[in-house]
Amino acid sequence: LVFVFLACLASVIVAAPQLGQQQDRPPHIAIIRDDRQDFGDGNFIYEFVSENDGTFATVLYVADENGYRPESDLIPTTPPVPDHAQEQIRVAEEQRRQGVVWDQRGFRVNR
């Protein structure tokens, strides 16, 4: 029984990540230049160059009654909703307008 316990303990120790090691850690990339200008009226410019970045990129930061929104061609966007999904949404909205109600199992409550 003691041998089984020790064997299990040893396999847990071997399988666990070693202390001090980080898994899938990205490489360190140095910042070569970092210029920042704050105009005091909510407008600012930040420019930096990293050792692996030779591409010019512009990001516009907007904060208003709709919240914070960064805008850039580099920011991924969601793909458009497919036609069949748009049709399903249209049908669901029409059923909602007609007062159709469904239960938790997907069965229509009112007929």
Side-chain angles (χ1 to χ4, degrees):
L1 184 61
V2 173
F3 177 74
V4 173
F5 174 75
L6 291 175
C8 291
L9 182 61
S11 52
V12 168
I13 291 171
V14 170
Q18 301 301 312
L19 293 176
Q21 292 182 354
Q22 294 184 9
Q23 304 296 323
D24 300 325
R25 183 178 177 185
H28 175 75
I29 299 171
I31 302 298
I32 298 170
R33 191 184 80 207
D34 187 352
D35 296 328
R36 300 170 188 230
Q37 297 178 25
D38 186 342
F39 300 108
D41 60 357
N43 293 302
F44 58 88
I45 296 174
Y46 291 168
E47 295 181 24
F48 71 93
V49 176
S50 62
E51 66 183 354
N52 72 337
D53 181 11
T55 304
F56 182 77
T58 300
V59 179
L60 175 65
Y61 297 93
V62 178
D64 57 16
E65 63 275 358
N66 296 319
Y68 162 78
R69 298 180 318 277
E71 298 174 357
S72 173
D73 292 339
L74 299 175
I75 298 174
T77 59
T78 57
V81 178
D83 292 340
H84 70 277
Q86 289 180 4
E87 177 62 17
Q88 290 175 333
I89 292 168
R90 188 195 63 71
V91 168
E93 289 172 348
E94 180 61 32
Q95 290 175 337
R96 194 174 301 116
R97 277 193 293 277
Q98 294 172 359
V100 176
V101 179
W102 306 88
D103 68 11
Q104 298 128 343
R105 296 183 184 112
F107 294 102
R108 188 172 174 166
V109 175
N110 52 356
R111 300 191 188 270

